Amino acid sequence: MLFASEEPTLFDMYKNLGKNRLVYRIHLSNYVKKGLVKEALQVFDEMSQSDYRVFASEESTLYRNLGRMVKKGLVKEALQVFDEMSQSDYRVFASEESTLYKNLGKKRLVYRNNISSYVKKGLIKEALQVFDEMSQSDCRVFSIDYNRIIGVLIRTSHFDIAEGYCNEMKPVGFSLNSLTYSKFICGLCKIKNLDLINRLLSDMDRVGILPNFWAYNMYLNVLCSENLVDVALELIKVMGEKGREPDVVSYTIVISGLCRIGRLDNAVEMWYTMIRKGLIPDNKACKALVFGLCGSGKVDLAYELTLGILRGQVKFSTEIYNALINGFCRAGRIDKAQAIKTFMRRNGCEPDLVTYNVFLNYCCNELMLEEAEKLIEKMGRNGLEPDGYSYNQLLRGFCKANRLDKAYKLMVDKMETKGLVDIVSYNTIIRALCKTDRSKKAYNLSEEMELKGIVPDVVTYTILIEAFLKEGNSNAAKTLFDQMIGAGLFPDRVLFTSIIDNLCKTGKIGMAQSIFHDMLEQGVAPDVISYNALISGFCKASRVTEALGLYEDMQARGLNPDEITFKLIIGGLIQEKNLSAACAIWDQMMEKGFTLDRDLSQTLINAINS
């Protein structure tokens, strides 16, 4: 018996119908059609052990079922059944054996089937074990098998293992195909493994195949992101020489990379090359060039290379129009900006919120506040609701014009009702109040802000602290500083230095020293200016020994004293009449290429001669 029946099968239910050849054949045929191989063989066993003779047609029914299994990809199962049948009393025809063993390649197909099954289940380790077993068996492994398994490793980011199998292929004369190489390069681009990419490209040169455009462009993108634009430029050249002419995407990537590092002349040259080769730049290409040129103030050139020479060939996006409008507004050429807005409308591209905000920003910068208010109203009429940025620009304009009452009224009456008041809104007015020496009112506004659920940020504290220091109210500044630290907000180096400098100028050296230590504890590295502020305080307080300690400490941290540092230290030492030390520092100063000013050098000389 091929299969031992442990439980009653469907066949058992038909026993009461009687045992005759017709019933056997009907059941056998039905099971075969349904793919129920086990049940079909049970029927065949039962029939062969009965008094009925088994004809070739019944055997053929089973063989046809094996064919169906093979066609469905169930090669392993078909071979198992075939082996059991071969070892039984069933007659196996040579044609059937040839079909399964020779034409299908029994071992290879089983190996491939198992590998595929493991891969589908995500069991990559097991798939590799089967592949290794296959390659070490007497079953011949083809290049396609290596390409498939390496493709799986690439897809699952097992790049080191994939490289190992690549090296294993070479001695037997196999190579990756272009698609697998291209996928490998794309995968390596994601982790920026440029060394391995270069080795793969060398291998491809050796076997005479090329990456596809996708791989080339991803590699170009990685090179430009790593600022290796010269390598990218060489690659563009090589692509053309090898017959893989760069496409618009290739040029766009390199142009964008060149603009990002400020090599605008090269970017423009690449732009002309692309057009000369008959390629029409798309919106992404235009955006890369326009953003790069406008960001460097070359708005006229940006306009000429896009709207100028490509008019009618490219449907420009709103982003491109907005970048050009912004560029002309920043250059103070509002008429040109207005003309572009008219042109974009004529070409079916309606101004959006960003467009209006650009013009609003210009009006507020130029204190054209009536125009700005009209623009806000116009936005609403055109179905574009002004956002927080829009109102904050208008708020900034009122503050810049010192119309603080109107600014506050705008914030409370309009912005607050629309839910558009944020920390930027309050900081704008707080800064304006501090600039007009109304620090107390600014502080009260910060408290009002907190009551409304808006938490002060680093900017808020910085504005208030610097304002109180400017007024000489160091106690209030120190209180705010402690509040800031307590809120988990940490000053930057500029604020720390500003606080230290102001405290030293008001004679609060101990407090300044404490802040300097806080700076170090917070992991904020002081610069030369920070050190000079405290050194100046120590020297003025006749604490030159401590100033010298800072002088040594800054050098130990890799900071070189500047001219101011040397003058402060030498001046302090002269004041303490430590002339030998002053001369020694003077020597160090000259070694660094600095010279004392006439007054201080004369003071030192007079002190030595006295």
Side-chain angles (χ1 to χ4, degrees), residues 110-151:
V110 171
Y111 279 127
R112 287 177 175 174
N113 182 66
N114 285 342
I115 291 169
S116 177
S117 176
Y118 282 130
V119 168
K120 287 177 182 177
K121 294 175 182 177
L123 302 172
I124 307 302
K125 182 178 178 181
E126 289 76 2
L128 291 175
Q129 288 173 344
V130 175
F131 182 86
D132 290 340
E133 182 185 330
M134 176 183 176
S135 61
Q136 292 164 16
S137 71
D138 57 358
C139 178
R140 184 182 175 190
V141 179
F142 291 95
S143 178
I144 190 173
D145 296 304
Y146 275 105
N147 275 273
R148 284 174 178 170
I149 198 67
I150 290 171

Side-chain angles (χ1 to χ4, degrees), residues 197-213:
I197 290 173
N198 287 326
R199 290 201 294 274
L200 292 178
L201 289 173
S202 296
D203 284 347
M204 295 182 81
D205 282 339
R206 180 175 52 81
V207 296
I209 56 178
L210 295 173
N212 58 25
F213 277 114

Side-chain angles (χ1 to χ4, degrees), residues 359-373 393-403:
F359 282 109
L360 189 63
N361 183 60
Y362 173 82
C363 291
C364 292
N365 283 339
E366 298 299 315
L367 298 183
M368 299 164 56
L369 300 179
E370 289 184 10
E371 287 295 323
E373 288 182 281
Q393 288 302 305
L394 186 56
L395 198 69
R396 182 178 59 81
F398 286 136
C399 289
K400 189 176 179 180
N402 203 24
R403 297 168 65 179

